[in-house]
Amino acid sequence: MPATETTPNTIFDSTLLQQRLKRALQRNVSGADFLLERTVQDLEDRLSTVERQFSRAVIVNPYTPSAALSLQQSGKAEVIESIDYQSKDSTEYLPLEPQSADLIISLLSLQFTNDTPGLMMQIKQALKPDGLFLGCMAGAGTLGELRESLLQAESELTGGVSPRVAPFADVRDGGALLQRAGFALPVTDIENVTVRYDNMFALMADIRAMGMANILTGRSRKPVGRRLFMRAAEIYAERFSDPDGRIRATFSFIWMSGWAPHASQQQPLKPGSAKASLAEALLATEKEPKK
């Protein structure tokens, strides 16, 4: 993980994230990892459509052992390893040799990296030619209801606001990350999941149990009174509840896939290589007799 010193580009306190993840693993609250388990199920579905066997698969910064177990049961990888980011010059550093893996997987960890483009470059460089990257990260809209409720409550009570929910990328950012890193055949898609809770406090308890509470370096260090959260819970219930009184919480998952370039892959046509122009095709259509 990144060094503890912060720089102008440091958005997340990675040391605090590690502390909270460790605490969450120790407490092991039953069912708290439901989002991770869902992404593992989605991973199974996506890998089932890939007609390839992988000699070495690496799962980056896993928050759950389920991903490795699922990959093992699929029989698609001969060797499966799980590794964590390591600290190097205050950026995320991937301890992998160039062209040493032919499948790299990342599930719900990329959204907490301070140098995501740099990490994506490292992933591409660690893949063998024609190796596959599959990643999932939280996207824009995730916990939007909670963000709005907290901001409104704090604005009412203090006249100012501080960041309490992390910023998330949108699906276009995912595609841009793949292209910038030099992946071939990049594909992104997004899945929105709505989870219902009795109240805002039950949602926040799940977030803490996942080890993913506020880790923003710009978060306020001032003690927060219960009054703020009570008012936020009221706003949440007023704006985002169903007729039965339960509240909704949105989670968005951006899935990304890309291949390390290889000569065998389908290549885009070079500009000007088409044998017929669009204008010629349209003209030919216009000259066809009407039936």
Side-chain angles (χ1 to χ4, degrees):
M1 296 299 294
T4 55
E5 294 84 0
T6 61
T7 69
N9 294 324
T10 302
I11 301 173
F12 302 106
D13 185 336
S14 55
T15 300
L16 180 60
L17 174 61
Q18 285 300 302
Q19 292 172 352
R20 288 181 172 169
L21 288 173
K22 183 178 180 179
R23 189 181 305 123
L25 287 172
Q26 291 173 342
R27 293 178 178 175
N28 192 25
V29 177
S30 177
D33 59 351
F34 70 96
L35 288 177
L36 287 167
E37 294 301 320
R38 184 185 179 95
T39 61
V40 170
Q41 293 173 8
D42 288 347
L43 176 68
E44 292 176 1
D45 293 339
R46 291 167 187 271
L47 276 176
S48 67
T49 65
V50 180
E51 297 181 357
R52 279 277 300 276
Q53 290 295 120
F54 301 97
S55 58
R56 184 192 182 200
V58 175
I59 303 172
V60 178
N61 220 43
Y63 295 150
T64 172
S66 298
L69 179 60
S70 174
L71 188 55
Q72 181 181 19
Q73 292 174 343
S74 73
K76 283 188 170 290
E78 297 175 15
V79 176
I80 304 169
E81 300 176 31
S82 296
I83 63 172
D84 293 322
Y85 304 136
Q86 294 182 358
S87 175
K88 183 178 181 181
D89 300 331
S90 299
T91 62
E92 288 81 3
Y93 168 65
L94 197 61
L96 288 174
E97 295 295 323
Q99 299 187 13
S100 60
D102 51 1
L103 174 62
I104 296 180
I105 294 169
S106 172
L107 299 180
L108 294 184
S109 64
L110 284 171
Q111 71 271 4
F112 293 132
T113 55
N114 288 306
D115 182 17
T116 311
L119 183 59
M120 293 289 287
M121 286 287 294
Q122 293 180 62
I123 290 173
K124 200 267 288 184
Q125 291 169 357
L127 283 170
K128 299 176 183 178
D130 206 31
L132 174 63
F133 166 67
L134 268 175
C136 177
M137 65 179 179
T142 295
L143 295 175
E145 303 92 345
L146 179 61
R147 182 200 309 273
E148 181 178 326
S149 301
L150 288 169
L151 288 175
Q152 180 62 38
E154 190 169 15
S155 177
E156 288 180 9
L157 297 176
T158 69
V161 297
S162 60
R164 299 188 184 278
V165 177
F168 297 109
D170 63 28
V171 68
R172 292 171 297 181
D173 296 324
L177 285 169
L178 290 168
Q179 292 179 335
R180 180 175 175 179
F183 283 98
L185 309 175
V187 176
T188 60
D189 62 87
I190 191 165
E191 179 187 9
N192 293 318
V193 177
T194 300
V195 183
R196 301 205 313 148
Y197 287 90
D198 289 338
N199 51 57
M200 189 190 79
F201 297 105
L203 166 62
M204 294 178 68
D206 257 3
I207 295 172
R208 286 193 298 272
M210 295 178 203
M212 297 183 182
N214 190 356
I215 57 166
L216 292 167
T217 57
R219 68 191 183 279
S220 174
R221 267 61 168 187
K222 297 179 181 178
V224 178
R226 181 173 176 79
R227 185 183 175 202
L228 169 63
F229 291 110
M230 292 299 294
R231 178 56 185 142
E234 292 174 355
I235 294 171
Y236 205 131
E238 292 167 1
R239 299 183 182 181
F240 306 110
S241 64
D242 290 329
D244 62 359
R246 305 193 77 196
I247 63 167
R248 301 181 300 276
T250 300
F251 297 90
S252 295
F253 299 125
I254 297 176
W255 278 94
M256 301 178 290
S257 68
W259 297 82
H262 187 265
S264 66
Q265 295 166 350
Q266 181 179 352
Q267 302 294 317
L269 292 174
K270 296 180 179 179
S273 63
K275 296 181 178 180
S277 69
L278 177 60
E280 291 173 344
L282 292 174
L283 182 60
T285 300
E286 290 176 356
K287 290 182 178 179
E288 290 181 359
K290 296 181 179 180
K291 295 181 180 180

